Amino acid sequence: ATVTIENDIPAQNTATVNINVDEDELTGLSTGITDGDGVTTVATFTGAQIAGLVAVGADEPVKVSLNAAIEGVDTLLDSKGFDILFDYIDATHINGVTSDARTVFTLVQTAGVDTILGTADDVFTFTLLDQIDHTPLATGGGDAETIALSLAGVFVATDFDGDAIVIDAGATVTIENDIPAQNTATVN
């Protein structure tokens, strides 16, 4: 006599999560003109937010990790006219790099209070380091113009018995534009 038990695996759902960063606050590779809106170049997702992008199924809970297969995938955004590609550094670190060797952003996973990587209290810290080309610009968007970086394919959800899926939608980073501003310089 046997009982055949069919497996259950996580599935992508329709949930979304977004964080915001601002070119206006850049210092270093590019220097922004602060707009004082309180949005900085650093923002975070929690492990719970990323895990919420999948329906876990019977083999709960899921652990969330970064996807090594994202290496070399085009982000579909540019910086100074160069494509930005995902660069998998290690199990807790992905960069966005250009073909002229600039690191435009970083995404770093750290364990939370429970010190176990992949759980709900993890923190995924996104840091914008250089400018993003906000093209095409919408009419009249100016300094408030935004562009979205999709993190589709960046995360993997793995359930308790080891079934894993790539989270292929739902997580985005909205990047606010910075524009030139008149200063007090004069020339005669």
Side-chain angles (χ1 to χ4, degrees):
T2 61
V3 177
T4 301
I5 303 168
E6 186 179 318
N7 193 21
D8 188 30
I9 66 170
Q12 182 80 42
N13 62 29
T14 59
T16 60
V17 62
N18 179 74
I19 55 175
N20 298 295
V21 293
D22 196 342
E23 278 187 340
D24 294 295
E25 308 308 321
L26 283 171
T27 58
L29 294 173
S30 293
T31 302
I33 303 167
T34 188
D35 61 2
D37 65 1
V39 178
T40 68
T41 57
V42 180
T44 60
F45 296 104
T46 66
Q49 287 175 305
I50 301 302
L53 299 175
V54 297
V56 178
D59 298 319
E60 57 188 284
V62 292
K63 286 194 173 182
V64 177
S65 60
L66 298 174
N67 181 13
I70 200 70
E71 172 66 31
V73 173
D74 193 340
T75 66
L76 304 179
L77 296 182
D78 297 337
S79 177
K80 297 182 182 179
F82 294 93
D83 290 343
I84 304 170
L85 306 177
F86 288 111
D87 181 21
Y88 180 87
I89 303 300
D90 60 41
T92 61
H93 186 175
I94 289 177
N95 287 342
V97 297
T98 59
S99 57
D100 67 338
R102 286 178 294 117
T103 300
V104 178
F105 65 80
T106 62
L107 180 65
V108 177
Q109 179 181 9
T110 53
V113 174
D114 68 6
T115 69
I116 300 169
L117 202 60
T119 59
D121 69 345
D122 281 10
V123 176
F124 292 88
T125 303
F126 181 93
T127 305
L128 183 65
L129 301 171
D130 203 358
Q131 64 184 318
I132 303 291
D133 299 345
H134 284 70
T135 54
L137 290 171
T139 303
D143 197 54
E145 185 82 33
T146 61
I147 196 165
L149 168 63
S150 171
L151 297 180
V154 170
F155 303 103
V156 173
T158 305
D159 71 11
F160 190 79
D161 65 359
D163 300 308
I165 65 162
V166 174
I167 301 173
D168 59 7
T172 56
V173 179
T174 298
I175 303 163
E176 184 180 316
N177 197 16
D178 187 35
I179 63 171
Q182 183 73 42
N183 60 28
T184 58
T186 60
V187 62
N188 181 57

